[in-house]
Every structure is written in structure tokens, then in C-alpha cells.
Amino acid sequence: MLSISQAARTTGLSVKSIRHYEQIGLIPSPPRGENDYRYYPEAMIRQLHFIKSSKDAGFNLKECKELLQLCENKERSSADVKMIALQKIEELQARIDQQQALLNSLKALTRQCHGDSKADCPIIDAFIK
């Protein structure tokens, strides 16, 4: 069993994040020692690793909770897991498309700007329209 600071170091999460996950019910309350400190058994460390990995993959906490529940359900259907992943792919692709459109727009404006000592600037003009 690890203390909260050891759990944080082991998982790459902050102590604050771990406490938050407990507070919102993402993970159960860990057992406490006689000193009233939280102690995290190996099963909870695995849950924290899972949460960290799924967050790093772009999932929000609600989605992490769904995935964690599926992870711990031995009766799960991989189709349910795949559906969540496919939804995330669609969401990420939409964000990428939006960012690409913004990038292309800014590049086009930058090409139109002479970049000289004159005040006339198509970039500024585009922002005030």
C-alpha cells in the first residue's frame, strides 16, 4: 500500500488530482491507516494508472469513468469500449479540422500582409470586420 504522495509519484498524477478523483467518485475512498492517512492498495494504483493513461489519450473525466467501469467489468463488450473510442476519434478529428481551418486562414492572411513599415495590414483588417 502506498501513501497518497507515493501514489502520485508512481502514477504521474498530482496529489490534488487523486483527491479530486476520490471526491467526485471516480475512484473509491482508499482505506485509511491508524494515523488517518490514505493508503492506496495495488488495485487502486492500477485504477489511477488507467485514469492517467486515458486522460493522456484525450478522454475527459466522464469518459475515463465510463472506460474504467468497462475495464473493471469482466462481462464487458469490446463493442462498448470501441464505441467510446470512436466517439473520441470523431471529436478529436473535428477539433483538428477546426484548428487546421484556423491555421490555413491565418497563413492566407499572413501571405497577404506586406510586412513593411506601412500601417496597412490585412491581418488587422480581417479582425475588425
Side-chain angles (χ1 to χ4, degrees), residues 12-92:
L13 294 166
S14 67
V15 168
K16 184 177 178 179
S17 291
I18 295 172
R19 285 189 179 129
H20 177 67
Y21 299 160
E22 179 186 347
Q23 187 177 30
I24 65 170
L26 186 55
I27 59 170
S29 295
R32 292 183 179 259
E34 289 180 18
N35 57 6
D36 204 35
Y37 290 169
R38 295 171 172 89
Y39 287 100
Y40 295 81
E42 185 58 36
M44 290 188 82
I45 298 300
R46 282 193 303 274
Q47 288 177 328
L48 292 169
H49 274 296
F50 186 93
I51 293 165
K52 172 84 164 76
S53 296
S54 54
K55 280 188 57 57
D56 288 349
F59 292 96
N60 63 37
L61 289 180
K62 180 180 179 264
E63 294 160 337
C64 288
K65 185 172 188 169
E66 290 177 55
L67 288 169
L68 185 59
Q69 289 169 340
L70 288 167
C71 174
E72 294 176 344
N73 179 359
K74 300 304 177 202
E75 305 291 318
R76 72 178 170 261
S77 162
S78 65
D80 293 336
V81 179
K82 185 174 183 175
M83 182 183 68
I84 294 169
L86 288 172
Q87 288 172 343
K88 181 52 65 177
I89 289 169
E90 284 182 30
E91 177 188 316
L92 290 172

Side-chain angles (χ1 to χ4, degrees), residues 108-120:
L109 288 171
T110 304
R111 282 192 298 272
Q112 294 172 17
C113 181
H114 298 290
D116 55 21
S117 61
K118 296 177 184 170
D120 182 45

Side-chain angles (χ1 to χ4, degrees), residues 3-17:
S3 69
I4 193 167
S5 60
Q6 292 169 323
R9 272 194 305 279
T10 300
T11 61
L13 294 166
S14 67
V15 168
K16 184 177 178 179
S17 291

